[in-house]
């Protein structure tokens, strides 16, 4: 972990100043591209230059199961996680369709699926077959949490070595919004009521029960926000830990990282607690309909690029946002300046 963290440095402030100065000379009114201008300056700070369009891109779907499913926090059976992995592998999920449209590659990683999925053409990096029940005990041991972080960090390293210049987060796991709510509450100080949502679409009675499970788990474990490893041990899941490592890995490689929804937001809070500079490398792809996601984004200081009332996960929001990122960078890199166009005031 110390080796990972030692590789992370803040964004390049000189590159950001140069990007902002170039924006002032482009053939447009100052500030007329709004958020896109800020976004392109941020990417310049990440990559250290104004002309590096972040392509190619890959979305990594980390999949895992959760022991808290035993508390009846989701109406879906746990076997759906493995079934969806087969769907991802076959190219039949929403994230596959969006990724194909936007020129993004898809990687699927089993980091903790309860069911055996050895027959699938995916990355097999299972730390354990699902977490323990966070409502009763720690979801993970320290060694398991560290191992899952390592899966994400090592994969980010490998993807960058393979030539990818933008990493996107994805996730799959029945009951993962329950673990996310507990993590978000831990790092933001928000109440269980403020961060617990309907997940796959539960009714009012089920939401009240799910909220109580999160509230009781927070009281049981009482992890302070300064202890990200202990928070992962307490609440999991294995995909949260792997995503935190993936975010740390992108930051260590000075590579833009587009976050998806509430699961990624929870993982980003974990990564930020390990090293505050990781937020320099994170772009919020969208705002999930899950209430905890807005709370997480506020704590992270990130503004979402799109808000389409999505609550699917998989990486869909991150993939939808990717063309916005590339357009922002292309505008900065490829638009003519007033001098180039021979325009004088």
């Amino acid at each position: 972990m110390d080796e990972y963290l030692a590789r992370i440095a803040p964004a390049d402030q000189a590159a950001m100043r140069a990007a902002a100065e170039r924006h002032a000379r482009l053939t447009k009114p100052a500030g007329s591209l709004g958020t896109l201008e800020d976004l392109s300056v941020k990417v310049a700070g990440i990559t250290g230059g104004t002309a590096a369009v972040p392509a190619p891109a890959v979305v990594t779907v980390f999949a895992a199961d959760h022991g808290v499913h035993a508390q009846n926090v989701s109406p879906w059976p746990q076997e759906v996680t493995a079934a969806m992995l087969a769907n991802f592998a076959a190219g039949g999920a929403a994230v596959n369709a969006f990724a194909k449209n936007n020129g993004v590659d898809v990687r699927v990683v089993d980091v903790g699926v309860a069911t055996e999925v050895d027959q699938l053409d995916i990355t097999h990096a299972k730390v354990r077959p699902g977490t323990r029940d966070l409502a009763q005990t720690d979801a993970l041991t320290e060694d398991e949490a560290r191992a899952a972080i390592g899966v994400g960090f090592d994969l980010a390293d490998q993807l960058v070595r393979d030539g990818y210049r933008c990493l996107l987060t994805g996730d799959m796991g029945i009951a993962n919004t329950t673990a996310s709510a507990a993590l978000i509450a831990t790092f933001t100080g928000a109440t269980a009521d403020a961060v617990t949502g309907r997940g796959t679409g539960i009714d009012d009675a089920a939401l009240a029960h799910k909220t109580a499970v999160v509230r009781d788990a927070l009281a049981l474990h009482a992890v302070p926000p300064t202890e990200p490893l202990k928070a992962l041990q307490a609440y999991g899941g294995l995909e949260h830990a792997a995503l935190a490592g993936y975010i740390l890995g992108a930051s260590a490689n000075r590579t833009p990282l587009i976050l998806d929804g509430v699961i990624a937001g929870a993982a980003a809070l974990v990564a930020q607690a390990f090293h505050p500079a990781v937020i320099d490398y994170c772009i919020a792809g969208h705002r999930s309909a899950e209430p905890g996601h807005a709370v997480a984004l506020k704590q992270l200081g990130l503004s979402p690029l799109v808000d389409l009332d999505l609550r699917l996960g998989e990486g869909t929001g991150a993939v939808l946002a990717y063309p916005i990122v590339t357009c922002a960078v292309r505008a900065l890199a490829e638009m003519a300046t007033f001098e180039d166009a021979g325009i004088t005031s």
Side-chain angles (χ1 to χ4, degrees):
M1 181 68 71
D2 290 342
E3 293 177 7
Y4 296 165
L5 301 181
R7 291 172 51 192
I8 300 172
D12 187 331
Q13 297 298 312
M16 294 176 72
R17 287 193 297 272
E21 290 167 2
R22 176 171 169 78
H23 260 301
R25 303 196 308 274
L26 297 180
T27 48
K28 59 178 176 60
S32 59
L33 287 178
T35 298
L36 296 184
E37 297 190 15
D38 296 335
L39 179 57
S40 63
V41 169
K42 178 167 188 166
V43 175
I46 294 170
T47 62
T50 60
V53 175
V58 60
V59 58
T60 302
V61 182
F62 292 98
D65 282 308
H66 296 259
V68 73
H69 183 269
Q71 300 298 322
N72 297 315
V73 293
S74 172
W76 293 89
Q78 201 165 57
E79 290 76 14
V80 169
T81 304
M84 280 303 301
L85 259 67
N87 196 26
F88 296 138
V95 71
N96 300 104
F98 293 176
K100 183 177 181 180
N101 186 76
N102 294 342
V104 176
D105 291 339
V106 179
R107 297 289 181 91
V108 181
V109 181
D110 171 12
V111 71
V113 179
T115 306
E116 290 301 320
V117 290
D118 292 342
Q119 74 279 11
L120 298 181
D121 185 17
I122 62 174
T123 299
H124 297 280
K126 195 191 303 285
V127 173
R128 60 169 284 118
T131 59
R132 301 168 188 85
D133 184 354
L134 64 84
Q136 303 292 327
T137 187
D138 279 352
L140 298 168
T141 67
E142 179 178 343
D143 286 346
E144 290 164 350
R146 288 182 180 274
I149 292 169
V151 169
F153 198 101
D154 291 345
L155 183 59
D157 265 358
Q158 183 62 56
L159 292 171
V160 173
R161 286 196 298 271
D162 290 344
Y164 289 105
R165 294 297 174 259
C166 191
L167 305 185
L168 286 64
T169 72
D171 60 82
M172 178 62 211
I174 300 301
N176 60 9
T177 57
T178 302
S180 295
L183 287 168
I184 292 168
T186 295
F187 292 106
T188 66
T191 65
D193 298 79
V195 299
T196 308
R198 296 182 184 274
T200 51
I202 56 178
D203 61 20
D204 288 348
L207 176 60
H209 169 67
K210 179 179 176 181
T211 302
V213 169
V214 173
R215 186 184 304 116
D216 291 348
L218 291 169
L220 172 67
H221 298 288
V223 180
T226 54
E227 298 285 352
L229 191 60
K230 288 185 179 179
L232 286 174
Q233 290 174 239
Y235 307 114
L238 288 155
E239 77 273 47
H240 291 98
L243 282 165
Y246 189 68
I247 295 165
L248 292 166
S251 304
N253 285 283
R254 305 193 69 87
T255 300
L257 186 289
I258 305 179
L259 297 169
D260 190 46
V262 68
I263 315 304
L269 288 169
V270 175
Q272 182 188 47
F274 278 120
H275 200 306
V278 298
I279 301 308
D280 290 356
Y281 298 86
C282 291
I283 297 163
H286 80 119
R287 188 197 325 271
S288 168
E290 281 289 296
H293 193 213
V295 175
L297 289 177
K298 182 177 180 180
Q299 183 75 17
L300 294 166
L302 298 175
S303 298
L305 295 181
V306 296
D307 190 348
L308 300 173
D309 207 29
L310 303 177
R311 55 182 178 86
L312 177 59
E314 301 182 4
T316 48
V319 174
L320 285 170
Y322 174 66
I324 298 175
V325 177
T326 57
C327 283
V329 176
R330 285 193 181 279
L332 177 62
E334 299 175 11
M335 282 182 67
T337 65
F338 286 109
E339 294 84 357
D340 295 334
I343 301 172
T344 58
S345 58

Coordinates of all heavy atoms in Angstrom, one line a residue, residues 272-304:
Q272 N -10.0 8.5 -1.6 CA -9.6 9.8 -1.1 C -9.1 9.8 0.3 O -8.2 10.5 0.6 CB -10.8 10.7 -1.2 CG -10.6 12.2 -0.8 CD -11.8 13.0 -0.7 OE1 -12.8 12.6 -0.1 NE2 -11.8 14.2 -1.3
A273 N -9.6 8.9 1.1 CA -9.1 8.8 2.5 C -7.7 8.2 2.5 O -6.9 8.6 3.4 CB -10.1 7.9 3.3
F274 N -7.4 7.4 1.5 CA -6.0 6.9 1.4 C -5.1 8.0 1.0 O -3.9 8.0 1.4 CB -6.0 5.7 0.5 CG -6.4 4.4 1.1 CD1 -7.4 3.6 0.6 CD2 -5.7 3.9 2.2 CE1 -7.8 2.4 1.1 CE2 -6.0 2.6 2.7 CZ -7.1 1.9 2.2
H275 N -5.5 8.8 0.0 CA -4.6 9.8 -0.6 C -5.5 10.9 -1.2 O -6.2 10.7 -2.2 CB -3.7 9.2 -1.7 CG -2.5 10.1 -2.0 ND1 -2.6 11.4 -2.3 CD2 -1.2 9.8 -1.9 CE1 -1.4 11.9 -2.5 NE2 -0.5 10.9 -2.3
P276 N -5.5 12.1 -0.6 CA -6.4 13.2 -1.1 C -6.2 13.6 -2.5 O -7.2 14.0 -3.2 CB -6.1 14.3 -0.1 CG -5.6 13.7 1.1 CD -4.8 12.5 0.6
A277 N -5.0 13.4 -3.1 CA -4.7 13.9 -4.4 C -5.5 13.0 -5.5 O -5.5 13.4 -6.7 CB -3.2 13.8 -4.7
V278 N -6.0 11.9 -5.1 CA -6.7 11.1 -6.2 C -7.9 11.8 -6.8 O -8.2 11.6 -8.0 CB -7.2 9.7 -5.6 CG1 -6.1 8.9 -5.1 CG2 -8.3 9.9 -4.6
I279 N -8.5 12.8 -6.1 CA -9.6 13.5 -6.6 C -9.2 14.4 -7.8 O -10.0 14.7 -8.7 CB -10.3 14.3 -5.6 CG1 -10.8 13.3 -4.4 CG2 -11.5 15.1 -6.1 CD1 -11.6 12.2 -4.9
D280 N -7.9 14.7 -7.9 CA -7.4 15.5 -9.1 C -7.6 14.7 -10.3 O -7.6 15.2 -11.4 CB -5.9 15.8 -8.9 CG -5.6 16.9 -7.8 OD1 -6.6 17.4 -7.3 OD2 -4.5 17.1 -7.6
Y281 N -7.6 13.3 -10.2 CA -7.7 12.5 -11.4 C -9.1 11.9 -11.7 O -9.3 11.2 -12.7 CB -6.7 11.3 -11.2 CG -5.3 11.8 -11.0 CD1 -4.8 12.2 -9.8 CD2 -4.5 11.9 -12.1 CE1 -3.5 12.7 -9.7 CE2 -3.2 12.4 -12.0 CZ -2.7 12.8 -10.8 OH -1.4 13.4 -10.7
C282 N -10.0 12.3 -10.8 CA -11.4 11.7 -11.0 C -12.3 12.7 -11.6 O -12.4 13.9 -11.3 CB -12.0 11.4 -9.6 SG -11.1 10.0 -8.8
I283 N -13.1 12.2 -12.5 CA -14.2 12.9 -13.2 C -15.5 12.2 -12.9 O -15.6 11.0 -13.1 CB -14.0 12.9 -14.7 CG1 -12.6 13.7 -15.1 CG2 -15.1 13.6 -15.5 CD1 -12.1 13.4 -16.5
A284 N -16.5 13.0 -12.5 CA -17.8 12.4 -12.1 C -18.6 12.3 -13.4 O -19.0 13.3 -14.0 CB -18.5 13.2 -11.1
G285 N -18.8 11.0 -13.9 CA -19.5 10.8 -15.1 C -21.0 11.3 -15.1 O -21.5 11.9 -16.0
H286 N -21.6 10.9 -14.0 CA -23.1 11.3 -13.9 C -23.5 11.3 -12.4 O -22.7 11.0 -11.5 CB -23.9 10.2 -14.6 CG -24.2 9.0 -13.9 ND1 -25.5 8.5 -13.6 CD2 -23.4 8.0 -13.4 CE1 -25.4 7.4 -12.9 NE2 -24.1 7.0 -12.9
R287 N -24.7 11.7 -12.2 CA -25.3 11.7 -10.8 C -26.3 10.6 -10.8 O -27.3 10.6 -11.5 CB -25.9 13.0 -10.4 CG -26.4 13.1 -9.0 CD -27.4 14.2 -8.7 NE -27.1 15.4 -9.5 CZ -26.3 16.4 -9.1 NH1 -25.6 16.3 -8.0 NH2 -26.2 17.5 -9.9
S288 N -26.1 9.6 -9.9 CA -27.1 8.5 -9.8 C -28.4 9.0 -9.1 O -28.4 9.9 -8.3 CB -26.5 7.4 -9.0 OG -27.4 6.4 -8.6
A289 N -29.5 8.2 -9.4 CA -30.7 8.5 -8.7 C -30.6 8.1 -7.2 O -31.5 8.5 -6.4 CB -31.9 7.8 -9.3
E290 N -29.6 7.3 -6.8 CA -29.4 6.9 -5.4 C -29.1 8.1 -4.6 O -28.1 8.8 -4.9 CB -28.3 5.8 -5.3 CG -28.8 4.4 -5.7 CD -29.7 3.8 -4.7 OE1 -29.3 3.6 -3.5 OE2 -30.9 3.6 -5.0
P291 N -29.7 8.4 -3.5 CA -29.5 9.6 -2.7 C -28.1 9.7 -2.2 O -27.5 10.8 -2.1 CB -30.5 9.6 -1.6 CG -30.9 8.1 -1.5 CD -30.8 7.6 -2.9
G292 N -27.5 8.6 -1.9 CA -26.1 8.6 -1.3 C -25.1 9.1 -2.3 O -24.0 9.6 -1.9
H293 N -25.4 9.0 -3.6 CA -24.4 9.4 -4.6 C -24.2 11.0 -4.6 O -23.1 11.5 -4.6 CB -24.8 9.0 -6.0 CG -23.7 9.1 -7.0 ND1 -23.9 9.4 -8.3 CD2 -22.3 9.0 -6.9 CE1 -22.8 9.5 -9.0 NE2 -21.8 9.2 -8.1
A294 N -25.3 11.7 -4.5 CA -25.2 13.2 -4.4 C -24.4 13.6 -3.1 O -23.6 14.5 -3.2 CB -26.6 13.8 -4.4
V295 N -24.6 12.8 -2.1 CA -23.9 13.1 -0.8 C -22.4 12.8 -1.0 O -21.5 13.6 -0.6 CB -24.4 12.3 0.3 CG1 -23.6 12.4 1.6 CG2 -25.9 12.6 0.6
A296 N -22.1 11.7 -1.7 CA -20.7 11.4 -2.0 C -20.0 12.4 -2.9 O -18.9 12.9 -2.6 CB -20.6 10.0 -2.6
L297 N -20.7 12.8 -3.9 CA -20.1 13.8 -4.9 C -19.8 15.1 -4.2 O -18.8 15.8 -4.5 CB -21.1 14.0 -6.1 CG -21.2 12.8 -7.0 CD1 -22.2 13.1 -8.1 CD2 -19.8 12.5 -7.7
K298 N -20.7 15.5 -3.3 CA -20.5 16.8 -2.6 C -19.3 16.7 -1.7 O -18.4 17.6 -1.7 CB -21.7 17.1 -1.7 CG -21.6 18.4 -1.0 CD -22.9 18.8 -0.2 CE -22.7 20.1 0.5 NZ -23.9 20.4 1.3
Q299 N -19.1 15.6 -1.0 CA -17.9 15.4 -0.2 C -16.6 15.3 -1.0 O -15.6 15.8 -0.6 CB -18.1 14.1 0.6 CG -16.9 13.8 1.6 CD -16.9 14.7 2.8 OE1 -18.0 15.3 3.1 NE2 -15.9 14.7 3.5
L300 N -16.7 14.7 -2.2 CA -15.6 14.6 -3.1 C -15.3 15.9 -3.8 O -14.2 16.1 -4.4 CB -15.8 13.5 -4.2 CG -15.9 12.1 -3.6 CD1 -16.5 11.2 -4.7 CD2 -14.6 11.6 -3.2
G301 N -16.2 16.8 -3.9 CA -16.0 18.1 -4.6 C -16.1 18.0 -6.1 O -15.5 18.7 -6.8
L302 N -16.9 17.0 -6.5 CA -17.0 16.7 -8.0 C -18.4 17.1 -8.5 O -19.4 16.8 -7.8 CB -16.7 15.3 -8.3 CG -15.3 14.8 -7.9 CD1 -15.2 13.3 -8.1 CD2 -14.2 15.5 -8.7
S303 N -18.5 17.6 -9.7 CA -19.8 17.9 -10.3 C -20.0 16.9 -11.4 O -19.1 16.8 -12.3 CB -19.8 19.4 -10.9 OG -19.6 20.3 -9.8
P304 N -21.1 16.3 -11.5 CA -21.4 15.3 -12.5 C -21.6 15.9 -13.9 O -22.1 17.0 -14.0 CB -22.7 14.6 -12.1 CG -23.4 15.7 -11.3 CD -22.3 16.5 -10.6

